[in-house]
Every structure is written in C-alpha cells, then in structure tokens.
Amino acid sequence: MPIPERPLQPRLDPRGLAAGIGGYAWWGLLPLYFPLLAPAGPLEITAHRIVWSLLACVGLLAVLGRLRQLTGLLRDRQVTARLALAATLLCANWVVFVLAVVSGHVVDGALGYYINPLITVVLAVVVLGERLRRAQWIAVAFGAAGVLVIAIGYGAFPWISLVLALSFGGYGLVKKQVGARVPALPGLAVETMVLAPAAVIFLVVLAVTGQGSFGQPGTAGMPATGLALLLMAAGVVTSVPLVLFASAARRLPLAMVGLLQYLTPTMQFLTGVLIREQMDAGRWAGFALVWMALVALTWDGLRMGHRRRRG
C-alpha cells in the first residue's frame, strides 16, 4: 500500500504577513508622532484622536459600502453596551499612552505592552475561569518579578505600564466576549461614536476659553496650518493600523499574530533608549525578567499549537 504523504505546512499569506508587520510597526512608530502635536496635551490629543477617528471610520465604511454593518451594530443594544465599555477602556489606554510619550516615559509605555499578554492570561483566569498550564504560571511569575524589580530599582510604582496593560487587556477581553459579530472597522466606529460627544464638548470648551491648540502655531516653528493638519491626521493614524491588524488576523495563524505583537513594544523600547531615557541596572534586570516571561509564554503557545495540528 502507498505510504500516505505527510501534509505540507500551509504557507503564510504574504499579504497577511505584510499587513501584520505594517500594523504593528505603525503602532511602534507612534511615540515619534505625538510629540509633533505639542503644545497639545494628552487629553486634547486624545479628543482629536477620537473625533477624527470617527470621521475616518465612517468615511471608509461609506467608501467600502459597509455602513449597514455600523447601523446593524447600533441596533443591537447588548453589543453597543459592550462596545461602550470597550470604548471607556480604550480611551483610558490612549490618554495614558499619549501622557507617557509626551512626558518622556516611552520605555514605561513599552513595558506596559510587553506585559499585556501576561495580563491577558491573568484575566482569562480571573474573569473566564480558565486554568493555566505550568509554563503559563512560570511566565506570569517571571513577569510579576520583573515589574517588582523595576518598581524597587526605579523607586516608583510603574503605574503607567500597569494601566496600559490592564486597560488594553480589558479591552481585548471585552472584544473577545463580543466575538465575531463585530468587525474591526465598524466596531471602532461605534466605540469612537460613544466617546465623541464628550470629546467634542471638551474641544469646544478649549476653543472658547482660548486653551485649544487647533488653529494655533505649534512648537519648533510649526505653522498653525501644519499643527491643525497633524491633529486631524490623528484619525488616520489611529484607524489605519487597526485595519491592517484586522487583515492580518484573518489571513495569518493566531500563533504568528501573537509573535508579531512584540514588534510594537520592541520598537517603542528602542525609541525610548535612543532618546536616552533612564535605563539603570535595575530596569534592565526587570526587563530581562519580563522578556524571559514572554519567551516562556510564546514557547508554550507554539507548543500547544503544534499539538493541535498533529492531533
């Protein structure tokens, strides 16, 4: 009898790989973008990000002929409520991340996104009642030790890192519970629509009181038109990587998407180091422990994925 051939491993979709690298690299470059928006502060930048993201999402949905997806989500009160919670977590994440960038704490922001997978694992236990495998427990222990070492060595609680990790981990959990009923682009449109009224009111108050940056010259000799265009472009800057991520998630195996996600905090970490943020021995030791945790977590994920393919 003929010996059955071993099935070939499916090739990675080059379009999905390009979209994944592009999306995560785009997020990794954001620390270079937000300082260009000075003198706008974190709250004002986030408000502009919300308003222009909403306009960008609705415009793109109209061009793609997918506005019915948006109206369908708005009719589902249960889904809309979930997305409102997701929007609140996302807004907190945006504000703290912009604050980290403009205040010179890019490395702290990178740490937050490094430990985000570990927070996701913990949330799966606490909220979903999942059981962790031994390698996952080891990863969580290494991650917690890394954060503790950084806190002791730095002499301050790394709240920026933990708020970023918890808010984005919670955002991912809510999106997972909503499931496949919510495509990425219409989902972001609903989330920004929930936040838009408060953002618009905030921007109007800033404009009326003369504290707004829109229409005012920026720093380093930037003209008022240039700063206004950069603030408006925040919507595109926010929406494009999400669309690229959604494309990658549809075309690539989950394990590959999980590996690509480390590109973002690595680029942010290198940016912080290159602009000479403080990196003493304690911080290096803490980051080393977090990186060991991520190695353990990645190894466990690849091992389980291989077992499922063989089984």
Side-chain angles (χ1 to χ4, degrees), residues 48-58 94 188-189 192 232 234-239:
H48 278 287
R49 200 175 178 186
I50 291 168
V51 172
W52 299 113
S53 293
L54 173 59
L55 295 177
C57 289
V58 173
W94 284 356
L188 180 62
T192 51
M232 294 171 65
V236 176
V237 169
T238 298
S239 303

Side-chain angles (χ1 to χ4, degrees), residues 89-205:
L89 294 169
L90 186 63
C91 182
N93 183 269
W94 284 356
V95 171
V96 174
F97 179 71
V98 176
L99 175 64
V101 171
V102 300
S103 63
H105 291 84
V106 176
V107 171
D108 288 336
L111 176 62
Y113 290 114
Y114 271 133
I115 65 178
N116 175 64
L118 303 174
I119 293 296
T120 300
V121 169
V122 173
L123 288 175
V125 174
V126 175
V127 179
L128 302 180
E130 296 183 5
R131 292 187 176 181
L132 296 188
R133 296 181 293 273
R134 181 180 300 176
Q136 292 175 313
W137 279 115
I138 293 173
V140 171
F142 270 111
V147 172
L148 183 61
V149 167
I150 291 174
I152 295 175
Y154 195 55
F157 186 73
W159 68 270
I160 289 178
S161 305
L162 292 178
V163 170
L164 286 175
L166 288 168
S167 59
F168 201 73
Y171 175 76
L173 177 64
V174 174
K175 298 285 279 189
K176 179 178 176 62
Q177 290 176 331
V178 172
R181 292 180 294 172
V182 181
L185 191 58
L188 180 62
V190 173
E191 291 160 13
T192 51
M193 192 175 295
V194 170
L195 300 172
V200 170
I201 292 174
F202 180 73
L203 292 176
V204 169
V205 171

